[in-house]
Amino acid sequence: MNKPSDTGHRAEGALTRRDFIKRAAAASALTLSAGALYAGLYDGRGPQPGDLGKVLTGLGDFSVQTASGQGRMAIVRGADRAAMLERAVTALGGIEAFIQKGDRVLIKVNAAFATPPSLGATTNPELFAAMARLCLAAGAASVTVTDNPINNPESCFALTGIAEAASLAGAGLIIPGEGMFSPLTLPGGKLLVDWPVMAGAFKGVTKLIAMAPVKDHARAGASMILKNFYGLLGGRRNVFHQKIAGIITELSLLAKPTLCVLDGTRVMLTNGPTGGSLSDLKAADTLIVSTDPVAADAAGLELLERTISEVPYIRMAEAAGAGHADYTRLNPVRINLGA
Amino acid sequence: MPIVTVRRISQVFFLILFFWLCLVASVGDRWWQLRGWPVNWLLDLDPLTALATMLSTGTLYAPLLWSLAALVLTAALGRFFCGFACPLGALNQFFGWLGQYSSKPLGRVRANRPRPARVIKYYLLLFLLACALTGTLATGLLDPLPLLHRSINLTLAPILDSGSLILSFKPRHYGSAWLIGAVLLAILGLNLVIPRFFCRFACPLGALFGLLSRFAPWRIGKAADHCGECTVCEAYCEGACSPSGTVVTGECLMCCNCLERCPHGRIRFDAKPSAGGEAPLPDLSRRGVVMGAAAGLFTGPALRLGGLTGPNNNPNLIRPPGALDEERFLARCIRCGQCMRACPSNIIQPALAEAGLEGLWTPAINYRLGDSGCQVNCIACGQVCPTAAIRPLTVDEKRGRADFAAAGPIRLGSALVDRSRCLPWVLDRPCIVCQELCPVSPKAIFTRTVFEAIRDGRAKIMTASQDSLEVAGLGPVNAPLAGGDYYLRRSGRQQEALRRISVFEGNRIGLVKAPGWSAPPEPGEAVDIVVRLQRPYVDASRCIGCGMCEHECPVAGLRAIRVNSENESRSRRGRLII
Amino acid sequence: MSTLSKPLRLRRGPKRITSVGAAERRAGYAVLCVLLAVLAYALTKQSQFNPAVVAALREGPADAKKTSGQPASELTPALDALPGVAALAGAETFGPDTLSDKIDGKAELYLSSGFKEMVWRPLAPAGGDKARFDVYVYDMASPDSAFAVFSGQRRSGAAASGLTENAYSTGNALFFTVGARYLEIVADSDEAAVKNLLEPLGAALLAKLSPSPGEGAGRETQSSPASLFPAQGMTPGSLRLAMADAFGLEGFGNVYTADYALGGAEATGFAAILPDEAQARTWKQNYLAFLLANGYGEITAQDLPEGAQALESNGVFEVLLKQGRLFYGIHEATSLQAAVALAATFEKQAREKMR
């Protein structure tokens, strides 16, 4: 490739000097580009261990500090979920109070069952889409939605209408895969010890919104916001059914959401959590939006016509520090849009 | 002082420095131990390591900044490193000198004639860099600095250690050291055939220096085209770069012998082109370049097809504490053997097949060799790793203390009891060596006590009192019955407290007094001799895989408790969940 | 650099005829300077210790290294993870051969009483206080052995502790037996904060060391004559068990003793239950012979129980009695009257209980 240079045969003098300058310039350029490469790739810290073998201690605190320093809540009566959500969020200070430009928002819905939205066993897709649009309008860099249904996630997302709603609203759908689960040990936890949770969905996430319908639950008494975090668990999570109140209490500490949207437009009064018959549902025409998941659940209980003593995990979650069981302390804003 | 003399001084200096830095790489604060000696300094000077790790990891580990100095000097002056600094170059030169000792001038010229094969090293370099680009760092196999470090660390140094015991307190062992030594011997021996054989044909670092010197403003050359053509310069040319004809500057090793030997002083080191004509590099064929690069791009992924870095990982491959996950590890390890030399337990060994072809001579722990398991307070391997393939840990991080309490200790793997070999599990022999040695607190190894009737241990009572009895019908018992682990049990009376045997003489058995029997057994009653066995179990949530247990397990062949890579901190694979 | 030109002199052999030019010389010196700089760098650097060396110097060798050379004991786990305290070092185990390495001359007391092994571990309050506890767990051959070493060292005037049947505490330490184990927990100060940790620590150890299923829980065996001693006048906590060579008589073992203060006089009662009556007789004779050989002379005294023998030497009195397998008596009484009175009650109790 390289032919012998013939400069040696020529007379010395100007040519040689020019040759030297050219070579010196080229060598300097080589040196400088090497230096730039070195500087550009310089790594003073060395490689980090990576999160491969690390046991997580939580999925993160995504709550936002409110002006009063207190949790906030809005309870809206009406029938149009999207409109109710909008009014509720406005009442809490507008979506900008929760979602800032550039935020990466994860919406945890209830898509646990491959049932249509009408049966009210899962998060209503229109409500979810309205939430996703609100976030994107506020400048969120991305909105993703996820859940870990027990059986066949794809069909769950499809049948519940969440998948379509996500694609229409411009939200990304995260379907759980094996690689997304990392072991987590909750500090002080008794049940969540070295347990796989869906940490992969939380990568880069800056805000978390929990959205769930108000439902009866055979084992837990009620399934609302807190119980919905069950869907972040992997592994053979049914073992926790024996200690359902305990696991929900620990789930309340797993991640602190930015906002909780508890949908009581249709409430599943009986045969929860799957329901199946529309007769299981009752129109309660209420949407609860709160920063406090425990308060949201406590408010939801009234829609479910249950008392707090029937659903022990609410008090337990309060004792664990996840929020307030007496939701009236949040001075909820009550709005009636008419049914 | 002639520059050749300076060059020799410099070579000897770097050779001694190199040996010194190898020898002191064992942990301790004496002047001949590790202290703060910059044991990696020569490795840090290596721009090939820097470039290859930049390709494989996208980062430059801070200590490798040193290599910029070598790089800049080469760009300006040419391959000074090969002539003045490289310790392997110095050894090659010495052995080449030996080989040519009695050669006639013409024979010397013939030995130093340029050979077409010299381009191989450039293709090799491209191959290795292309490999690195795909995440497989193989430069260390041929890069002279890691190669020589590895060879000396794993062959010469331990041989000296075992001879004098000055450098190490115990003889050291390294598996596959024979092969590493054979490679070094071959490299040195080939100098007897052709001087600087390795430097001229195989050295990828030399090739890189050759490329870097492409624009060096100063280089060797003839001052006048019309010399006597005595070829004395060629007779002593280390680089075989034909200084008497068209000099190939990229091949010049800057031995400066031509400067010294030219009878008329017509060879100079100058900013002017050679009057005899010059070429920056030997003729590289396009085909060779493409093949080298393509083979490299192919080899890395091909090696990964076996899945050794993933689902097919070798459970017997234990990497040192702080080692990155296998994929990132292989993108960094240059197989220099520094960790193996520094390990005070001598358990870090060069892998031969354990890590696959890709992992040849990378560090793998063998708990059967060496003096103990991985000492819980030792962080030597990561602290001497030149590329952070083994991260430099603090003791706190290794043990999971202080700031690292939440992360927990670094686990090398997890021990598991082989119940088909463990003495109390299969041989009815009391043994709790592993439990005793477990350094974790609370211990990761615990025992469950069982009492088992021994073979032929049933006897009939002839006479009995509270604390002693005469028996008959006892089979030949080959066990220390009075050793404290053997008890007497009345047949059919499982509820009654066992009586520990304190005396065993012929047919007379003495018993530890308490607890006593409610009433001494009657003559004719049957008794069983039972052994108390404390069977070991491993609590995987506590085990750090340090291998103290495996190292000391009295089942000396295939140990009855062995550490596998399950649960190792560096990867998620094989986590023993739930 | 410039060319090396001027020919000056011819050298031997195929070497250049030119001299070393200034540029070459300067280049040579520059290289040598670089070498010196490298040397200086290495020499400077060697004094800045590698973290691995710092760790090796500060942390010392691995915890698991045993310094006594004795294999670790099965008792060692009991000294792990105790509440309220942190270990200052790993546990060390001492056997009969190495016990004196740790406790020097005290070893004999244990060795003569059926010593098996001892585990020691230094602890500190978990809060990081300066205080220190040394825990010693002696594994003895039997509960009797443990009682022997416990009673043999009982500190007079110490407060009884409710921890176990045999337990007492002093200003800075707690001593007790559990099964065949004798434990000492010794703090380095008697400050209340430190002292208050003793009992919980003892309780935690007690819980961990409770006797294994194959071994009896109590010391109550048929060979214990502890209950035979007259209670009246007995110095509290003075009941002791000599496992061997009681009163200096070679081979005279398993002897319980208790001290008495009787109206200004002092005396020691003793009792040993032997395997059979013949042996009891033999030991009584042995002891009598031993006393006679040591300057005692037989005397007669009124009100002596039947079959009792009394001896005297320089105002010190001995009374020897036997009841079946029981050999007992009064040792080193400072008055004959006290000796006789004590012997009488002793004999009465022994006769009743040994039936």
Side-chain angles (χ1 to χ4, degrees):
Chain A
M1 266 163 63
N2 296 286
K3 291 279 177 291
S5 158
D6 63 353
T7 47
H9 296 294
R10 296 189 192 164
E12 296 190 10
L15 271 177
T16 306
R17 197 171 302 118
R18 199 187 313 154
D19 175 73
F20 173 76
I21 290 168
K22 265 160 78 181
R23 290 181 75 103
S28 307
L30 181 65
T31 298
L32 285 176
S33 43
L37 186 67
Y38 272 53
L41 300 182
Y42 181 77
D43 173 15
R45 286 196 322 152
Q48 297 307 298
D51 61 353
L52 287 165
K54 281 276 152 61
V55 173
L56 300 170
T57 55
L59 290 174
D61 182 352
F62 302 97
S63 58
V64 290
Q65 206 64 33
T66 52
S68 61
Q70 270 224 311
R72 306 203 55 194
M73 177 180 271
I75 302 175
V76 186
R77 286 191 57 83
D80 179 352
R81 290 185 170 94
M84 289 156 76
L85 176 68
E86 215 153 312
R87 284 298 299 269
V89 169
T90 308
L92 295 182
I95 188 70
E96 292 76 17
F98 304 100
I99 307 295
Q100 278 82 44
K101 211 169 152 47
D103 267 338
R104 296 180 172 274
V105 183
L106 176 67
I107 300 180
K108 167 69 179 74
V109 295
N110 185 338
F113 309 105
T115 54
S118 57
L119 289 183
T122 54
T123 299
N124 182 278
E126 286 138 39
L127 182 64
F128 152 68
M131 190 74 238
R133 283 198 203 94
L134 274 178
C135 293
L136 289 168
S142 73
V143 175
T144 49
V145 56
T146 197
D147 192 12
N148 182 27
I150 299 157
N151 188 262
N152 198 348
E154 285 88 348
S155 72
C156 287
F157 285 117
L159 258 166
T160 55
I162 296 288
E164 193 191 356
S167 81
L168 286 177
L173 174 63
I174 299 179
I175 294 175
E178 201 210 328
M180 281 185 198
F181 291 87
S182 300
L184 175 143
T185 296
L186 196 71
K190 291 193 171 67
L191 302 170
L192 287 181
V193 177
D194 210 6
W195 196 272
V197 297
M198 200 163 54
F202 284 73
K203 211 165 241 172
V205 163
T206 56
K207 295 286 157 64
L208 173 67
I209 296 176
M211 303 185 78
V214 178
K215 297 195 293 178
D216 167 51
H217 192 279
R219 287 213 74 91
S223 169
M224 294 175 285
I225 295 291
L226 292 173
K227 170 66 179 65
N228 188 32
F229 283 125
Y230 203 72
L232 294 174
L233 299 178
R236 288 165 41 244
R237 65 190 189 196
N238 57 346
V239 301
F240 294 135
H241 283 160
Q242 307 304 316
K243 293 178 175 161
I244 194 75
I247 190 67
I248 295 173
T249 307
E250 295 192 8
L251 285 170
S252 71
L253 303 172
L254 185 63
K256 296 225 162 109
T258 314
L259 264 186
C260 307
V261 180
L262 183 57
D263 181 9
T265 321
R266 294 284 177 279
V267 172
M268 185 184 289
L269 277 185
T270 49
N271 297 316
T274 51
S277 164
L278 286 176
S279 65
D280 291 327
L281 303 180
K282 186 199 92 173
D285 295 328
T286 307
L287 186 79
I288 299 162
V289 179
S290 175
T291 57
D292 180 337
V294 182
D297 275 13
L301 272 186
E302 291 182 1
L303 308 177
L304 208 53
E305 298 161 15
R306 304 274 152 88
T307 63
I308 203 160
S309 57
E310 291 173 80
V311 184
Y313 64 76
I314 292 183
R315 283 248 165 76
M316 288 161 71
E318 179 182 43
H324 295 95
D326 180 6
Y327 72 93
T328 56
R329 276 178 54 191
L330 270 57
N331 298 320
V333 184
R334 291 181 189 271
I335 301 163
N336 196 337
L337 296 181
Chain B
M1 194 187 293
I3 195 72
V4 171
T5 310
V6 173
R7 189 254 298 151
R8 290 195 189 109
I9 292 172
S10 178
Q11 283 181 298
V12 170
F13 172 84
F14 273 96
L15 197 57
I16 292 174
L17 179 70
F18 168 80
F19 278 120
W20 181 251
L21 295 182
C22 279
L23 295 187
V24 298
S26 56
V27 179
D29 64 339
R30 311 287 298 273
W31 60 269
W32 44 267
Q33 291 177 320
L34 184 56
R35 293 175 63 87
W37 291 108
V39 289
N40 286 333
W41 187 68
L42 283 163
L43 292 165
D44 293 337
L45 273 182
D46 186 337
L48 179 55
T49 302
L51 181 61
T53 53
M54 279 195 274
L55 288 174
S56 61
T57 69
T59 61
L60 178 79
Y61 187 46
L64 290 169
L65 215 52
W66 276 105
S67 63
L68 195 59
L71 197 152
V72 170
L73 270 174
T74 305
L77 297 172
R79 293 170 63 176
F80 82 97
F81 193 89
C82 306
F84 281 73
C86 179
L88 184 58
L91 287 172
N92 282 334
Q93 186 162 348
F94 174 73
F95 280 93
W97 173 77
L98 273 185
Q100 297 298 317
Y101 191 75
S102 52
S103 286
K104 298 274 185 316
L106 210 57
R108 287 176 183 258
V109 172
R110 212 176 296 127
N112 291 340
R113 72 175 187 276
R115 289 174 170 84
R118 62 185 172 176
V119 295
I120 290 174
K121 62 178 177 288
Y122 295 94
Y123 304 148
L124 260 176
L125 172 69
L126 281 168
F127 171 80
L128 293 172
L129 291 180
C131 274
L133 195 60
T134 66
T136 297
L137 189 72
T139 56
L141 291 174
L142 281 175
D143 188 340
L145 296 171
L147 185 151
L148 194 59
H149 264 287
R150 172 175 71 236
S151 306
I152 301 304
N153 282 342
L154 305 190
T155 59
L156 192 60
I159 289 171
L160 290 179
D161 286 351
S162 64
S164 66
L165 296 188
I166 289 173
L167 304 166
S168 165
F169 295 108
K170 282 183 187 136
R172 294 175 74 90
H173 302 277
Y174 292 102
S176 82
W178 61 273
L179 188 54
I180 292 164
V183 169
L184 180 67
L185 281 184
I187 287 173
L188 296 181
L190 284 168
N191 290 305
L192 303 178
V193 183
I194 298 174
R196 289 263 196 175
F197 182 98
F198 178 82
C199 310
R200 291 179 190 175
F201 304 122
C203 181
L205 179 60
L208 179 64
F209 281 133
L211 292 172
L212 289 171
S213 68
R214 170 69 178 79
F215 304 110
W218 290 279
R219 66 259 189 214
I220 214 88
K222 282 207 288 189
D225 195 10
H226 45 83
C227 69
E229 300 196 339
C230 63
T231 63
V232 166
C233 53
E234 309 251 334
Y236 294 93
C237 178
E238 288 290 317
C241 59
S242 22
S244 75
T246 302
V247 61
V248 183
T249 52
E251 290 289 293
C252 171
L253 301 183
M254 285 184 69
C255 66
C256 302
N257 281 342
C258 51
L259 262 68
E260 178 76 2
R261 298 286 181 174
C262 180
H264 304 291
R266 288 201 182 102
I267 296 191
R268 60 193 185 179
F269 188 81
D270 203 349
K272 297 187 186 104
S274 174
E278 63 179 17
L281 292 169
D283 285 344
L284 301 178
S285 76
R286 177 159 302 155
R287 194 171 44 184
V289 169
V290 171
M291 286 290 284
L297 289 175
F298 169 77
T299 303
L303 287 171
R304 300 275 162 108
L305 288 178
L308 285 173
T309 59
N312 191 27
N313 68 325
N314 178 359
N316 295 320
L317 176 64
I318 314 289
R319 295 287 191 194
L324 298 173
D325 51 290
E326 191 67 4
E327 226 163 284
R328 289 199 296 158
F329 181 85
L330 290 174
R332 283 178 180 268
C333 177
I334 56 170
R335 308 128 208 256
C336 60
Q338 295 287 72
C339 51
M340 309 176 199
R341 169 109 189 115
C343 177
S345 301
N346 189 205
I347 48 176
I348 306 183
Q349 297 286 325
L352 191 58
E354 296 91 321
L357 185 59
E358 200 183 356
L360 178 67
W361 294 331
T362 54
I365 288 181
N366 180 341
Y367 288 123
R368 290 183 63 195
L369 281 177
D371 307 327
S372 78
C374 178
Q375 296 171 17
V376 291
N377 286 332
C378 175
I379 50 172
C381 48
Q383 293 291 348
V384 298
C385 180
T387 59
I390 307 171
R391 289 187 305 116
L393 302 175
T394 59
V395 177
D396 281 347
E397 183 173 6
K398 187 179 180 193
R399 302 193 60 178
R401 301 187 307 204
D403 295 345
F404 300 93
I410 299 285
R411 301 165 192 271
L412 306 187
S414 188
L416 287 170
V417 179
D418 184 344
R419 291 187 186 177
S420 68
R421 301 182 67 82
C422 176
L423 300 181
W425 279 101
V426 289
L427 294 181
D428 280 355
R429 291 287 160 156
C431 172
I432 51 165
V433 169
C434 55
Q435 191 269 348
E436 288 170 350
L437 284 165
C438 179
V440 183
S441 178
K443 284 181 187 285
I445 301 177
F446 60 98
T447 59
R448 290 190 174 122
T449 304
V450 295
F451 293 87
E452 296 279 5
I454 67 170
R455 187 184 185 200
D456 296 332
R458 173 157 293 200
K460 193 186 275 183
I461 290 179
M462 305 305 286
T463 64
S465 71
Q466 261 299 339
D467 302 329
S468 84
L469 35 88
E470 303 256 349
V471 296
L474 197 60
V477 178
N478 187 20
L481 292 190
D485 289 308
Y486 293 86
Y487 292 73
L488 206 67
R489 184 169 66 196
R490 292 168 75 171
S491 303
R493 299 177 76 160
Q494 313 289 352
Q495 304 310 316
E496 189 127 18
L498 298 170
R499 300 286 306 269
R500 187 183 282 188
I501 297 171
S502 61
V503 178
F504 180 72
E505 297 162 346
N507 288 327
R508 199 180 79 77
I509 296 175
L511 302 171
V512 173
K513 280 185 179 144
W517 281 311
S518 46
E522 298 295 318
E525 196 179 309
V527 287
D528 286 316
I529 292 174
V530 297
V531 59
R532 181 187 59 179
L533 299 169
Q534 291 162 287
R535 290 179 171 159
Y537 291 77
V538 175
D539 180 350
S541 68
R542 298 211 180 280
C543 179
I544 57 171
C546 70
M548 294 286 180
C549 49
E550 179 174 348
H551 183 265
E552 294 291 335
C553 177
V555 183
L558 179 62
R559 302 288 207 265
I561 185 164
R562 299 188 295 276
V563 176
N564 295 121
S565 63
E566 322 298 342
N567 240 2
E568 61 181 353
S569 295
R570 71 195 189 102
S571 80
R572 187 188 300 153
R573 195 165 298 283
R575 277 193 63 82
L576 298 174
I577 297 179
I578 306 153
Chain C
M1 291 190 196
S2 66
T3 51
L4 315 155
S5 49
K6 284 182 195 162
L8 263 185
R9 61 193 169 87
L10 193 74
R11 280 198 229 163
R12 198 166 57 83
K15 295 214 169 174
R16 70 177 163 195
I17 51 169
T18 53
S19 73
V20 176
E24 183 177 350
R25 194 180 301 123
R26 276 203 299 274
Y29 287 137
V31 170
L32 294 180
C33 286
V34 170
L35 298 190
L36 282 177
V38 170
L39 190 64
Y41 166 74
L43 288 173
T44 315
K45 204 82 172 71
Q46 59 86 26
S47 63
Q48 302 160 12
F49 282 12
N50 185 302
V53 178
V54 177
L57 296 179
R58 193 180 49 208
E59 306 270 354
D63 294 354
K65 278 264 163 69
K66 301 173 302 296
T67 52
S68 65
Q70 181 80 18
S73 159
E74 64 188 80
L75 293 174
T76 308
L79 298 177
D80 282 333
L82 290 164
V85 290
L88 288 172
E92 278 186 46
T93 307
F94 301 87
D97 296 338
T98 53
L99 182 61
S100 59
D101 296 351
K102 185 69 187 164
I103 63 168
D104 200 22
K106 194 67 126 355
E108 294 311 312
L109 173 76
Y110 294 94
L111 293 174
S112 65
S113 305
F115 171 80
K116 283 162 64 185
E117 65 178 10
M118 182 271 273
V119 184
W120 160 81
R121 192 164 200 186
L123 307 168
D129 290 352
K130 273 269 188 293
R132 168 193 173 104
F133 300 98
D134 285 283
V135 177
Y136 303 82
V137 182
Y138 292 89
D139 194 20
M140 306 299 291
S142 67
D144 276 343
S145 295
F147 180 73
V149 293
F150 167 83
S151 60
Q153 299 176 78
R154 196 190 318 247
R155 277 76 180 169
S156 58
S161 159
L163 207 55
T164 65
E165 183 189 354
N166 303 309
Y168 66 95
S169 63
T170 62
N172 72 315
L174 179 64
F175 308 88
F176 63 95
T177 70
V178 47
R181 276 96 190 226
Y182 167 59
L183 281 83
E184 298 186 341
I185 307 172
V186 182
D188 67 347
S189 90
D190 59 358
E191 286 168 35
V194 178
K195 201 182 166 189
N196 290 342
L197 280 168
L198 288 172
E199 287 272 342
L201 196 52
L205 278 163
L206 179 63
K208 289 189 171 199
L209 290 170
S210 289
S212 55
E215 291 159 341
R219 194 173 47 80
E220 292 311 315
T221 62
Q222 295 189 343
S223 62
S224 167
S227 59
L228 303 178
F229 285 87
Q232 200 186 353
M234 195 204 287
T235 311
S238 69
L239 184 69
R240 287 186 301 275
L241 170 61
M243 291 300 284
D245 302 347
F247 309 145
L249 173 58
E250 203 178 324
F252 189 29
N254 258 320
V255 182
Y256 281 81
T257 64
D259 296 337
Y260 288 85
L262 299 162
E266 286 173 10
T268 299
F270 70 90
I273 292 178
L274 293 139
D276 50 49
E277 190 167 354
Q279 284 199 44
R281 195 175 301 122
T282 310
W283 275 110
K284 189 180 170 210
Q285 282 161 7
N286 286 353
Y287 189 48
L288 180 64
F290 174 74
L291 289 173
L292 292 173
N294 282 284
Y296 279 82
E298 279 202 66
I299 55 169
T300 52
Q302 281 192 335
D303 304 328
L304 264 183
E306 196 182 321
Q309 283 166 293
L311 296 94
E312 188 258 340
S313 167
N314 298 325
V316 178
F317 301 89
E318 301 269 336
V319 179
L320 278 51
L321 285 150
K322 192 184 78 63
Q323 173 82 44
R325 297 196 291 132
L326 177 71
F327 166 45
Y328 65 112
I330 313 299
H331 174 63
E332 292 189 348
T334 53
S335 89
L336 180 61
Q337 193 189 359
V340 170
L342 187 57
T345 38
F346 211 164
E347 191 266 351
K348 197 166 153 236
Q349 253 170 272
R351 189 151 32 84
E352 281 169 12
K353 293 197 177 166
M354 283 303 285
R355 193 170 293 146

